[in-house]
Amino acid sequence: TDEIMQQEIRPLVAVDIIEQLHRQFAILSGGRGKDGAPIITFPEFAGFSEIPDDDFLNVVTYLTSIPSLEAASIGFIIIIDRRRDKWSAVKASLTRIAGAFPGNLQLVFVLRPSRFIQRAIADIGIKLYRDDFKMKVPIIMLNSVSDLHGYIDKSQLTRELGGTLEYGHSQWIHHRTAIENFAMTVKITAQMLQTFGTDLAETELPNDVQCTEELLSSHTDHHSKLKDELKLAVKQGATLLTCIREPVTRSANSKLSPDELENVATVERLLAQLDETEKAFDQFWTKHHLKLEQCLQLRHFEHDFREVKLTLDNLMETQAGFADIGDSVTRVENLLKEQKHLEEKGQEPLEKAQSLALHGEQLIQNNHYAVDSIRPKCVELRRICDDFTNETKKKYDILGKSLELHKQLDKASQWCEAGIYLLASQAVDKCQSQEGAETALVEIEKFLVTAKEHQLSNPKEFYNQFDMILTPEIKANAQKIVQKLEDVQEMFDKRQVSLKKLAAKQTRPVQPVAPHPESSPKRASPKITRPAA
């Protein structure tokens, strides 16, 4: 692109002087001298002296600008054909060429007037006026084209000069305008690509999804149009190349003139520049397009992150509001149901968060340009997910402990009530006998065994097991039940002591007492049964 932009801009192109070129008062036939010097021919032209100076200078300047610098540096060969003219025309031509020719001259050939008198005048005139022409190169006067063939090979001369070089002026003009149009197309295309590339490089990346999508679509459309322009330019160059090579393609015996070969080289060079420009543009576009796609990926990621994080924050806030651990079995069971519902409600957001974090890590692995922005968000998403999961487990653990506590308290309370009921149901009159006391003791012992089954044998240990989750209210309730356990246990202990004493009294042997003579047998029975009372 830089090579095309910096190449020399020629002041004239064929289209600027198309009318003057069509007059054909000077031509660049494509022939070369033996050393490769380009040949410019001034054919017979009746109104040569009437051509305006500007027109003459423009045409000659244009013709000398066409050959390569290497060929032009050898010097131009001028052939002036004035066979049908007068000496005055020869003189005028030499004077004009000497005063206005912009290139480096090597030789000047003049085909002198063919009429005898004019030829004689020309011989004399060239001797008299040679110095006036101010030419530092040889001026060779020729009588005929045969003489010219001694200096220049016939293959480098047109048919008008007795040569075999194929030259059509209209086709030459057509080729020149086509080559210059193609060169301009390449230049304009390169400028468009450069301008577009500059615009892309200076484009600020949008901060939201919609603007990024619109920018990506706009740039992609513009890129497609430029690629179409490139294809058209390449097609134009290929068609032009085919046209220039057409004589050789048509006939194997034909050869392209040096100028035509230079035209081929020029078009090939322009096509190569176009190809290099396209490759450079494609490389730049690939990077830019990738950046735009990554920007769109980032904006989608950021948008999804905001939505997921908002949902997770609300979820965490709801979970944080579940501070109640319940004051009864029924309440704790309801709280567990609510916690289960919250866990199920959070399942979808958690899955989205994990999926989004995974997507973010994939973007990082794919060398996304915004790694420093994506990685912290992935870490944040996983942290919130872990926090919710850990907090949920903690809630379940606490509520599980609370449920176990309240079930134990309920069982303890029910055990106390059952114990009190047992003690109350033991009729006093039935316990007066040894059998009755022992039966009551067995009932109590059986009941006390259930205390061990419910781990209520050590109330303080039971209390300490759940101390960490106790609220002041539950503590007070637990302390009441523990105190009740102790009270009931004390009641059982006292009852056991009493019953054991009664049982012991009933098993003590009765000493025989001799009845008093005056005693009535009816009074002996109360004395024996009194201890039982």
Side-chain angles (χ1 to χ4, degrees):
T1 303
D2 290 341
E3 182 183 350
I4 296 174
M5 299 302 295
Q6 293 172 8
Q7 69 182 0
E8 180 184 358
I9 305 298
R10 290 173 177 151
L12 286 173
V13 291
V15 71
D16 296 332
I17 54 172
I18 196 74
E19 292 182 6
Q20 293 91 321
L21 289 174
H22 273 297
R23 297 178 71 182
Q24 204 173 340
F25 59 79
I27 63 171
L28 184 71
S29 63
R32 297 291 172 95
K34 293 177 181 179
D35 56 358
I39 298 173
I40 293 179
T41 304
F42 289 88
E44 292 179 319
F45 190 82
F48 186 80
S49 60
E50 298 172 4
I51 297 171
D53 290 340
D54 287 345
D55 290 357
F56 176 82
L57 183 60
N58 285 339
V59 170
V60 175
T61 301
Y62 176 70
L63 294 179
T64 55
S65 71
I66 294 173
S68 64
L69 292 175
E70 182 182 358
S73 64
I74 298 173
F76 287 88
I77 294 175
I78 301 294
I79 299 176
I80 304 173
D81 185 3
R82 293 295 179 263
R83 286 174 290 175
R84 298 179 184 177
D85 222 322
K86 300 177 181 179
W87 159 246
S88 59
V90 174
K91 181 183 177 183
S93 299
L94 288 170
T95 302
R96 173 168 270 188
I97 293 169
F101 193 80
N104 179 27
L105 279 172
Q106 185 190 97
L107 278 174
V108 176
F109 291 104
V110 178
L111 284 169
R112 71 180 84 195
S114 57
R115 286 179 289 178
F116 179 77
I117 296 175
Q118 291 298 325
R119 182 178 296 178
I121 295 173
D123 287 340
I124 297 170
I126 196 68
K127 292 176 182 178
L128 293 175
Y129 296 100
R130 184 182 293 274
D131 293 339
D132 293 346
F133 297 139
K134 298 178 182 178
M135 288 188 179
K136 297 179 181 179
V137 298
I139 301 174
I140 300 174
M141 302 297 288
L142 302 172
N143 293 324
S144 65
V145 292
S146 299
D147 295 341
L148 181 62
H149 298 162
Y151 296 94
I152 300 172
D153 192 273
K154 292 170 68 175
S155 64
Q156 302 300 313
L157 297 171
T158 61
R159 295 184 184 278
E160 288 77 14
L161 297 175
T164 59
L165 180 66
E166 294 288 343
Y167 176 78
H169 192 60
S170 296
Q171 186 184 54
W172 180 89
I173 292 175
H174 174 71
H175 283 177
R176 289 309 310 163
T177 53
I179 291 170
E180 288 163 2
N181 283 339
F182 179 55
M184 183 58 65
T185 299
V186 172
K187 178 185 174 184
I188 292 172
T189 302
Q191 287 175 336
M192 287 192 300
L193 294 180
Q194 189 177 48
T195 301
F196 182 53
T198 302
D199 291 342
L200 296 186
E202 294 175 354
T203 299
E204 291 187 6
L205 298 177
N207 293 321
D208 60 88
V209 172
Q210 183 179 351
C211 290
T212 307
E213 286 178 339
E214 290 173 355
L215 184 66
L216 180 59
S217 176
S218 170
H219 283 188
T220 303
D221 289 345
H222 198 164
H223 169 261
S224 297
K225 290 177 182 177
L226 286 176
K227 288 291 286 184
D228 290 341
E229 293 287 340
L230 275 167
K231 288 178 183 177
L232 286 174
V234 171
K235 186 177 180 181
Q236 179 186 349
T239 303
L240 177 56
L241 205 55
T242 302
C243 289
I244 297 173
R245 288 172 170 164
E246 191 266 337
V248 178
T249 307
R250 186 178 65 243
S251 172
N253 296 325
S254 297
K255 290 184 179 180
L256 296 179
S257 70
D259 277 6
E260 287 173 328
L261 290 172
E262 282 191 0
N263 288 343
V264 169
T266 298
V267 175
E268 287 178 339
R269 176 175 54 82
L270 289 170
L271 282 170
Q273 290 177 355
L274 204 56
D275 183 59
E276 290 173 7
T277 302
E278 184 174 13
K279 285 178 180 176
F281 175 69
D282 286 344
Q283 289 177 354
F284 177 80
W285 169 252
T286 299
K287 292 178 182 178
H288 178 75
H289 188 255
L290 175 62
K291 191 170 185 179
L292 281 182
E293 285 188 327
Q294 288 188 341
C295 177
L296 184 58
Q297 291 169 347
L298 177 63
R299 298 304 173 237
H300 276 299
F301 178 78
E302 290 172 338
H303 176 267
D304 294 343
F305 173 79
R306 287 191 293 269
E307 287 189 346
V308 170
K309 188 173 185 303
L310 179 62
T311 305
L312 290 178
D313 287 344
N314 291 336
L315 207 60
M316 292 294 290
E317 186 178 347
T318 303
Q319 190 181 59
F322 280 179
D324 189 5
I325 62 171
D327 54 5
S328 66
V329 171
T330 303
R331 176 60 180 157
V332 175
E333 287 176 342
N334 287 334
L335 288 173
L336 281 167
K337 288 179 182 178
E338 291 178 13
Q339 182 62 42
K340 183 66 176 176
H341 175 69
L342 179 63
E343 184 184 21
E344 292 172 350
K345 181 182 176 183
Q347 197 62 37
E348 185 179 349
L350 287 176
E351 288 176 358
K352 282 185 178 179
Q354 294 287 4
S355 176
L356 187 59
L358 182 62
H359 176 58
E361 288 166 358
Q362 288 173 343
L363 292 179
I364 293 172
Q365 290 175 0
N366 292 333
N367 299 318
H368 198 287
Y369 71 85
V371 172
D372 293 340
S373 173
I374 297 171
R375 182 172 282 119
K377 291 179 174 62
C378 293
V379 172
E380 176 74 359
L381 288 172
R382 295 202 183 281
R383 183 193 65 77
I384 296 175
C385 289
D386 291 343
D387 287 351
F388 181 81
T389 302
N390 294 334
E391 193 64 25
T392 299
K393 185 177 181 302
K394 185 179 175 182
K395 291 285 185 184
Y396 275 128
D397 290 344
I398 291 173
L399 290 174
K401 282 280 186 185
S402 179
L403 182 62
E404 184 182 353
L405 166 65
H406 286 100
K407 283 183 176 180
Q408 292 283 359
L409 291 177
D410 283 357
K411 286 180 180 180
S413 182
Q414 291 168 6
W415 184 85
C416 290
E417 295 299 327
I420 293 170
Y421 177 78
L422 175 61
L423 292 174
S425 64
Q426 290 180 336
V428 176
D429 55 342
K430 292 181 180 180
C431 296
Q432 299 305 314
S433 65
Q434 179 183 357
E435 184 181 353
E438 288 176 351
T439 300
L441 278 171
V442 170
E443 289 177 348
I444 290 172
E445 286 172 359
K446 283 184 178 179
F447 185 77
L448 289 176
V449 169
T450 63
K452 293 179 181 179
E453 292 175 359
H454 292 94
Q455 298 181 343
L456 297 175
S457 57
N458 188 340
K460 289 185 178 179
E461 182 181 335
F462 165 77
Y463 169 76
N464 290 334
Q465 183 183 354
F466 300 102
D467 182 51
M468 61 182 294
I469 63 166
L470 296 178
T471 63
E473 294 80 5
I474 296 176
K475 269 187 180 181
N477 185 34
Q479 286 170 348
K480 284 181 183 178
I481 294 175
V482 170
Q483 184 61 50
K484 192 173 183 181
L485 282 169
E486 292 175 353
D487 292 345
V488 171
Q489 185 67 46
E490 186 179 351
M491 291 169 65
F492 275 114
D493 291 344
K494 289 180 179 179
R495 176 65 63 89
Q496 282 179 310
V497 170
S498 298
L499 289 173
K500 285 177 181 178
K501 285 181 180 180
L502 285 173
K505 285 182 180 180
Q506 294 298 333
T507 57
R508 186 180 303 162
V510 179
Q511 295 294 327
V513 179
H516 208 271
E518 63 272 14
S519 296
S520 171
K522 291 181 181 180
R523 297 187 60 91
S525 180
K527 287 182 181 179
I528 295 171
T529 58
R530 185 172 296 175

